[in-house]
Amino acid sequence: MSPRTGAGLLGLFPATAALLMLAVVALPLFALVVSTSPADLLDGLRHPVALSALRLSLFTTTTSLALTLLLGTPLAWWMARHPGPAERAVATLVQLPIVIPPAVSGLALLLAFGWRGLLGPVLDRAGWVLPFSTAAVVLAELFVSAPFYIQSAVATFRRLDEDLLWAARSLGAGPARRFFRVALPLSRPGLVTGAALSWARALGEFGATLMFAGNVPGRTQTLPLAIYSAMEMDLRPAKALSILLVVVALVVLLLLGRGREVEVEALRARA
């Protein structure tokens, strides 16, 4: 083989590798779409398993997102305003649910909130039973999805213009007023982006929910669990719900891209 031929083959490698990688990602999604006719898609979405799981997923993901916004926003604000060893330790703790396996998340939730868990006796005396309940689904989704919002919120709060906060302070605005009237409105695009990503993660949660909440139709069977169950009896709802989740993920990605564009435009306007 001549040096020129070898150089030509070597030059083809990056393009070939890129095409192969793209095929690995695109072919399964393409197969999912082309193997489902419009009639099968509609029949699958109308299936009782699909309708029940869709209603439950909408309720639990909306609830978990509300809790994420309510509890995660103050935490993200504190992390953004207090950099240091304590903040780094909290950031590491918050990021752990992103990287640990779902089975570990489910087991950890059981050991914390199960009947024999750390808080099990306390919850039992209060009359609360979390495992294998709808509340367990919400808690599992909150555990795995909140870090995505908190990370985005921290990054957004850190990009705030300090001069605007100081101006509000000089005009007599207290910490709460500066947070609600200045920080939150200016950070809205980044917070919306983080909320969309967090909600999408909650919608796709499977492993922790299965271990902590089980797979009870109408009570704990969310969309991913319904897909898992439908694989054993009727492939139509499984494919229909899978396509639905892919479409939701695509919409979220488009929102994320739009959110980044808005942030860039805002930064350019302030520059």
Side-chain angles (χ1 to χ4, degrees):
M1 181 185 298
S2 67
R4 180 174 297 180
T5 302
L9 292 176
L10 187 61
L12 288 175
F13 175 75
T16 304
L19 289 174
L20 287 175
M21 186 69 256
L22 185 61
V24 169
V25 174
L27 279 178
L29 299 176
F30 180 75
L32 176 64
V33 173
V34 300
S35 65
T36 308
S37 66
D40 285 343
L41 178 62
L42 292 176
D43 289 341
L45 291 176
R46 287 196 293 258
H47 195 280
V49 171
L51 292 174
S52 174
L54 180 60
R55 285 193 296 266
L56 181 66
S57 287
L58 290 176
F59 171 76
T60 56
T61 54
T62 302
T63 304
S64 67
L65 179 59
L67 291 172
T68 297
L69 297 176
L70 179 65
L71 305 176
T73 305
L75 176 60
W77 178 250
W78 177 86
M79 292 170 64
R81 308 303 296 175
H82 298 84
E87 181 272 332
R88 288 193 293 271
V90 171
T92 301
L93 182 62
V94 167
Q95 293 167 3
L96 272 177
I98 297 177
V99 295
I100 61 177
V104 176
S105 299
L107 180 60
L109 289 168
L110 273 175
L111 295 177
F113 303 104
W115 294 291
R116 298 183 181 180
L118 289 176
L119 299 181
V122 177
L123 295 173
D124 185 58
R125 285 193 294 270
W128 295 345
V129 179
L130 282 180
F132 306 103
S133 67
T134 303
V137 177
V138 174
L139 189 55
E141 291 174 349
L142 178 66
F143 181 80
V144 301
S145 67
F148 292 89
Y149 171 76
I150 294 172
Q151 282 189 319
S152 179
V154 170
T156 300
F157 286 146
R158 284 178 175 165
R159 289 195 294 267
L160 283 174
D161 190 343
E162 290 292 333
D163 292 339
L164 296 176
L165 296 175
W166 277 107
R169 183 177 181 179
S170 66
L171 293 173
R177 190 176 181 84
R178 293 198 302 271
F179 176 69
F180 286 105
R181 299 297 297 273
V182 179
L184 284 184
L186 291 175
S187 304
R188 186 179 295 117
L191 298 182
V192 171
T193 297
L197 186 59
S198 177
W199 180 79
R201 177 63 185 88
L203 187 65
E205 162 52 30
F206 176 81
T209 303
L210 181 62
M211 290 195 64
F212 183 49
N215 188 14
V216 183
R219 190 168 68 178
T220 67
Q221 189 178 79
T222 57
L223 287 174
L225 294 173
I227 294 171
Y228 177 75
S229 298
M231 290 287 292
E232 301 177 355
M233 53 181 182
D234 190 348
L235 201 58
R236 288 178 303 171
K239 292 193 294 184
L241 292 178
S242 297
I243 292 174
L244 176 63
L245 288 178
V246 170
V247 171
V248 169
L250 179 61
V251 171
V252 169
L253 289 176
L254 293 176
L255 286 176
L256 291 176
R258 178 56 185 163
R260 293 191 186 98
E261 291 177 2
V262 171
E263 286 189 82
V264 170
E265 291 173 1
L267 289 173
R268 288 176 177 172
R270 291 199 296 265

